[in-house]
Amino acid sequence: MANGLPTGWSPLARGLHWLMAALILAQGVVGWVGHAMARSPAKVEVMTAHKSLGITLLLLVALRLLWRWAHPAPPHPADSRPWEVWAARLSHALLYLLMIALPLSGWLSASTSIVPWKLWWLIPWPAIAAPDQGLHEFAEELHEVLVNLLVVLLIVHITAALQHHFLRRNDVLLRMWRGGR
């Protein structure tokens, strides 16, 4: 602890971060494969997995936000410039916003289609809107735009972490990898 703040991320925070990173990567692959498939029973199965991953990620981000609310983040490196702190806070806020908006837009898209589905093939999932072709098309387009924004933001996030590690030679990346010292 430094100044009453942790010097690294807790094991739960790190675990959720890396679990969600892996699931978001898997989600992207499953979504890309499903989107490329022709209408078929196999596509329904792939898209059920995609929707289920999306809802799982939504639940995990809620857990992550609750944990983050109760546990302060480690301080930024001492040599951080004010604009860097601002950019880090903004990019993290946008990442959380996208991790919420993406599954919600997917849920809206699934709700407005006529294809029912069950979470992990077991739990009938409620619709948040009635079937509506126009709203479905809007939700699909919104979902695609949000995916593209997430990809760009993840590239920025990963680049910043690598820049901290290899160019600035500080412990920002290591704090998320192995925690505090």
Side-chain angles (χ1 to χ4, degrees), residues 104-147:
L104 289 177
S105 66
W107 189 358
L108 180 61
S109 175
S111 295
T112 55
S113 80
I114 58 171
V115 180
W117 68 283
K118 294 180 179 179
L119 182 67
W120 297 114
W121 297 273
L122 300 171
I123 304 166
W125 201 251
I128 55 174
D132 178 315
Q133 186 60 30
L135 186 54
H136 177 72
E137 290 172 8
F138 168 78
E140 279 190 330
E141 289 177 24
L142 175 62
H143 195 66
E144 189 171 327
V145 167
L146 294 175
V147 166

XYZ file of all heavy atoms in Angstrom, residues 104-147:
356
model
N -26.001 -5.017 -24.537
C -27.372 -4.489 -24.561
C -27.872 -4.316 -25.997
O -29.027 -4.640 -26.289
C -27.457 -3.170 -23.797
C -27.335 -3.267 -22.283
C -27.372 -1.878 -21.647
C -28.422 -4.160 -21.690
N -26.995 -3.838 -26.892
C -27.414 -3.703 -28.293
C -27.625 -5.075 -28.926
O -28.536 -5.263 -29.734
C -26.400 -2.884 -29.096
O -25.162 -3.550 -29.212
N -26.809 -6.057 -28.536
C -27.019 -7.420 -29.021
C -28.311 -8.017 -28.483
O -29.039 -8.702 -29.206
N -28.596 -7.751 -27.216
C -29.839 -8.234 -26.606
C -31.045 -7.606 -27.307
O -32.031 -8.278 -27.599
C -29.816 -7.890 -25.124
C -30.897 -8.473 -24.267
C -31.953 -9.266 -24.662
C -31.033 -8.318 -22.859
N -32.721 -9.593 -23.574
C -32.173 -9.021 -22.450
C -30.288 -7.637 -21.904
C -32.596 -9.070 -21.127
C -30.701 -7.686 -20.588
C -31.844 -8.401 -20.208
N -30.935 -6.302 -27.626
C -32.011 -5.639 -28.357
C -32.171 -6.255 -29.743
O -33.291 -6.519 -30.189
C -31.739 -4.136 -28.467
C -32.788 -3.326 -29.220
C -34.156 -3.415 -28.532
C -32.337 -1.869 -29.344
N -31.073 -6.526 -30.402
C -31.122 -7.156 -31.719
C -31.775 -8.532 -31.638
O -32.643 -8.872 -32.449
C -29.702 -7.271 -32.291
O -29.717 -7.969 -33.517
N -31.378 -9.324 -30.654
C -31.959 -10.659 -30.489
C -33.435 -10.570 -30.134
O -34.245 -11.371 -30.611
C -31.200 -11.427 -29.400
N -33.797 -9.597 -29.326
C -35.188 -9.450 -28.896
C -36.103 -9.067 -30.048
O -37.261 -9.487 -30.095
C -35.294 -8.378 -27.799
O -34.609 -8.767 -26.643
N -35.611 -8.254 -30.951
C -36.451 -7.760 -32.037
C -36.475 -8.685 -33.242
O -37.171 -8.407 -34.218
C -35.992 -6.353 -32.461
O -34.595 -6.395 -32.800
C -36.221 -5.347 -31.347
N -35.710 -9.772 -33.193
C -35.802 -10.781 -34.248
C -36.901 -11.768 -33.871
O -37.472 -11.698 -32.784
C -34.464 -11.500 -34.431
O -34.309 -12.492 -33.443
N -37.172 -12.704 -34.732
C -38.219 -13.692 -34.440
C -37.639 -15.029 -33.996
O -38.354 -16.005 -33.863
C -39.139 -13.894 -35.670
C -38.315 -14.337 -36.878
C -39.913 -12.619 -35.980
C -39.128 -14.775 -38.067
N -36.324 -15.051 -33.728
C -35.670 -16.297 -33.341
C -35.513 -16.332 -31.812
O -34.722 -15.579 -31.258
C -34.288 -16.436 -34.011
C -33.605 -17.730 -33.611
C -34.410 -16.328 -35.527
N -36.267 -17.186 -31.132
C -36.096 -17.277 -29.674
C -34.780 -17.976 -29.350
O -34.241 -18.721 -30.156
C -37.295 -18.117 -29.236
C -37.637 -18.941 -30.426
C -37.269 -18.122 -31.634
N -34.278 -17.742 -28.154
C -33.035 -18.399 -27.756
C -33.011 -18.576 -26.249
O -33.752 -17.942 -25.523
C -31.817 -17.623 -28.253
C -31.618 -16.292 -27.605
C -32.302 -15.146 -27.872
C -30.687 -15.971 -26.576
N -31.850 -14.136 -27.075
C -30.852 -14.613 -26.264
C -29.719 -16.696 -25.889
C -30.102 -13.956 -25.296
C -28.963 -16.045 -24.922
C -29.155 -14.701 -24.645
N -32.122 -19.471 -25.832
C -31.949 -19.750 -24.413
C -30.491 -19.493 -24.038
O -29.583 -19.893 -24.767
C -32.300 -21.206 -24.098
C -33.761 -21.535 -24.294
C -34.032 -22.995 -23.971
C -35.501 -23.303 -24.160
N -35.779 -24.723 -23.872
N -30.314 -18.874 -22.890
C -28.974 -18.607 -22.381
C -28.284 -19.937 -22.124
O -28.770 -20.759 -21.342
C -29.066 -17.775 -21.095
C -27.753 -17.366 -20.452
C -26.992 -16.374 -21.336
C -28.008 -16.742 -19.082
N -27.166 -20.136 -22.801
C -26.392 -21.381 -22.718
C -27.292 -22.607 -22.960
O -27.132 -23.635 -22.356
C -25.605 -21.487 -21.407
C -24.587 -20.399 -21.302
C -24.576 -19.372 -20.399
C -23.456 -20.189 -22.154
N -23.500 -18.547 -20.657
C -22.798 -19.027 -21.720
C -22.932 -20.870 -23.253
C -21.650 -18.517 -22.334
C -21.782 -20.374 -23.871
C -21.162 -19.219 -23.409
N -28.252 -22.458 -23.858
C -29.161 -23.515 -24.298
C -30.068 -24.034 -23.170
O -30.751 -25.034 -23.322
C -28.398 -24.688 -24.932
C -27.669 -24.294 -26.170
C -28.167 -24.268 -27.434
C -26.321 -23.849 -26.275
N -27.214 -23.831 -28.315
C -26.055 -23.574 -27.627
C -25.292 -23.655 -25.362
C -24.842 -23.114 -28.109
C -24.069 -23.196 -25.829
C -23.861 -22.936 -27.184
N -30.092 -23.345 -22.032
C -30.827 -23.830 -20.866
C -31.922 -22.894 -20.371
O -33.001 -23.333 -19.991
C -29.858 -24.087 -19.692
C -28.766 -25.114 -19.930
C -27.772 -25.100 -18.773
C -29.377 -26.491 -20.108
N -31.635 -21.598 -20.324
C -32.529 -20.637 -19.686
C -33.185 -19.765 -20.748
O -32.491 -18.999 -21.429
C -31.739 -19.749 -18.695
C -31.020 -20.612 -17.668
C -32.656 -18.727 -18.028
C -29.958 -19.872 -16.867
N -34.509 -19.849 -20.899
C -35.182 -18.948 -21.854
C -34.871 -17.496 -21.467
O -35.061 -17.104 -20.319
C -36.666 -19.274 -21.680
C -36.692 -20.636 -21.059
C -35.449 -20.733 -20.217
N -34.373 -16.729 -22.411
C -33.962 -15.371 -22.097
C -35.054 -14.385 -22.486
O -35.579 -14.449 -23.585
C -32.647 -15.032 -22.802
C -31.960 -13.903 -22.126
C -31.821 -12.637 -22.599
C -31.362 -13.920 -20.829
N -31.165 -11.868 -21.674
C -30.872 -12.633 -20.577
C -31.199 -14.894 -19.845
C -30.230 -12.282 -19.392
C -30.551 -14.557 -18.661
C -30.080 -13.272 -18.454
N -35.393 -13.456 -21.595
C -36.490 -12.523 -21.897
C -36.104 -11.519 -22.980
O -34.945 -11.116 -23.096
C -36.722 -11.823 -20.560
C -35.409 -11.910 -19.850
C -34.804 -13.225 -20.278
N -37.093 -11.129 -23.729
C -36.909 -10.085 -24.738
C -37.048 -8.733 -24.056
O -37.818 -8.589 -23.104
C -37.942 -10.241 -25.842
N -36.306 -7.748 -24.539
C -36.450 -6.389 -24.010
C -37.238 -5.499 -24.966
O -37.434 -4.321 -24.692
C -35.083 -5.763 -23.663
C -34.124 -5.775 -24.858
C -34.471 -6.459 -22.461
C -32.806 -5.045 -24.609
N -37.696 -6.093 -26.067
C -38.536 -5.387 -27.037
C -39.272 -6.444 -27.862
O -38.855 -7.602 -27.906
C -37.697 -4.496 -27.948
N -40.347 -6.015 -28.485
C -41.119 -6.917 -29.339
C -40.436 -7.050 -30.703
O -39.654 -6.182 -31.097
C -42.529 -6.368 -29.522
N -40.711 -8.151 -31.416
C -40.160 -8.274 -32.769
C -40.526 -7.048 -33.619
O -41.673 -6.605 -33.631
C -40.814 -9.546 -33.312
C -41.086 -10.364 -32.084
C -41.473 -9.343 -31.036
N -39.538 -6.506 -34.282
C -39.725 -5.292 -35.082
C -38.550 -5.220 -36.055
O -37.403 -5.024 -35.633
C -39.751 -4.073 -34.162
C -39.905 -2.754 -34.906
O -39.227 -2.536 -35.927
O -40.704 -1.923 -34.428
N -38.823 -5.376 -37.341
C -37.759 -5.441 -38.339
C -36.922 -4.168 -38.383
O -35.691 -4.223 -38.441
C -38.336 -5.753 -39.727
C -37.289 -5.976 -40.800
C -36.342 -7.150 -40.505
O -36.718 -8.125 -39.862
N -35.102 -7.035 -40.958
N -37.556 -3.013 -38.327
C -36.815 -1.754 -38.376
C -35.914 -1.577 -37.168
O -34.743 -1.188 -37.300
N -36.454 -1.860 -35.992
C -35.655 -1.757 -34.775
C -34.543 -2.808 -34.758
O -33.429 -2.536 -34.299
C -36.558 -1.895 -33.540
C -35.909 -1.671 -32.176
C -35.197 -0.317 -32.109
C -36.963 -1.794 -31.077
N -34.846 -3.977 -35.300
C -33.835 -5.036 -35.391
C -32.657 -4.588 -36.258
O -31.495 -4.752 -35.882
C -34.470 -6.310 -35.950
C -33.500 -7.430 -36.134
N -32.953 -8.125 -35.074
C -32.948 -7.954 -37.255
C -32.122 -9.038 -35.533
N -32.108 -8.950 -36.865
N -32.952 -4.008 -37.403
C -31.893 -3.535 -38.299
C -31.074 -2.428 -37.637
O -29.842 -2.403 -37.741
C -32.483 -3.067 -39.628
C -33.008 -4.226 -40.460
C -33.781 -3.785 -41.696
O -33.789 -2.567 -42.012
O -34.374 -4.670 -42.348
N -31.762 -1.512 -36.929
C -31.061 -0.450 -36.211
C -30.130 -1.045 -35.148
O -28.978 -0.645 -35.023
C -32.060 0.517 -35.558
C -31.409 1.453 -34.584
C -30.704 2.562 -35.034
C -31.477 1.214 -33.220
C -30.075 3.423 -34.135
C -30.851 2.060 -32.306
C -30.151 3.165 -32.774
N -30.647 -2.001 -34.376
C -29.854 -2.615 -33.308
C -28.649 -3.355 -33.881
O -27.555 -3.302 -33.299
C -30.723 -3.565 -32.488
N -28.837 -4.038 -35.010
C -27.705 -4.726 -35.647
C -26.630 -3.741 -36.099
O -25.444 -3.983 -35.908
C -28.184 -5.553 -36.842
C -28.772 -6.879 -36.461
C -29.021 -7.765 -37.675
O -29.279 -7.242 -38.785
O -28.942 -8.994 -37.506
N -27.066 -2.630 -36.715
C -26.105 -1.620 -37.169
C -25.391 -0.975 -35.979
O -24.176 -0.768 -36.019
C -26.805 -0.561 -38.019
C -27.224 -1.082 -39.383
C -27.982 -0.044 -40.206
O -27.804 1.172 -39.959
O -28.751 -0.455 -41.086
N -26.151 -0.666 -34.937
C -25.551 -0.094 -33.733
C -24.528 -1.062 -33.136
O -23.423 -0.660 -32.764
C -26.640 0.227 -32.707
C -26.150 0.735 -31.347
C -25.393 2.056 -31.500
C -27.325 0.873 -30.392
N -24.884 -2.332 -33.076
C -23.995 -3.358 -32.538
C -22.690 -3.392 -33.340
O -21.597 -3.445 -32.755
C -24.712 -4.711 -32.577
C -24.086 -5.775 -31.746
N -24.031 -5.724 -30.378
C -23.485 -6.944 -32.097
C -23.435 -6.802 -29.909
N -23.082 -7.563 -30.939
N -22.798 -3.331 -34.642
C -21.598 -3.368 -35.495
C -20.721 -2.133 -35.278
O -19.491 -2.241 -35.182
C -22.002 -3.478 -36.963
C -20.836 -3.746 -37.884
C -21.266 -4.078 -39.301
O -22.335 -4.687 -39.484
O -20.509 -3.721 -40.214
N -21.330 -0.968 -35.168
C -20.567 0.259 -34.908
C -19.863 0.159 -33.559
O -18.682 0.504 -33.435
C -21.484 1.502 -34.955
C -20.797 2.739 -34.392
C -21.955 1.759 -36.388
N -20.573 -0.336 -32.555
C -19.981 -0.471 -31.223
C -18.826 -1.479 -31.221
O -17.828 -1.268 -30.535
C -21.045 -0.861 -30.199
C -22.125 0.195 -29.922
C -23.186 -0.372 -28.982
C -21.535 1.476 -29.385
N -18.958 -2.552 -31.987
C -17.860 -3.523 -32.101
C -16.623 -2.833 -32.664
O -15.514 -2.995 -32.151
C -18.262 -4.728 -32.980
C -17.043 -5.549 -33.380
C -19.281 -5.602 -32.268
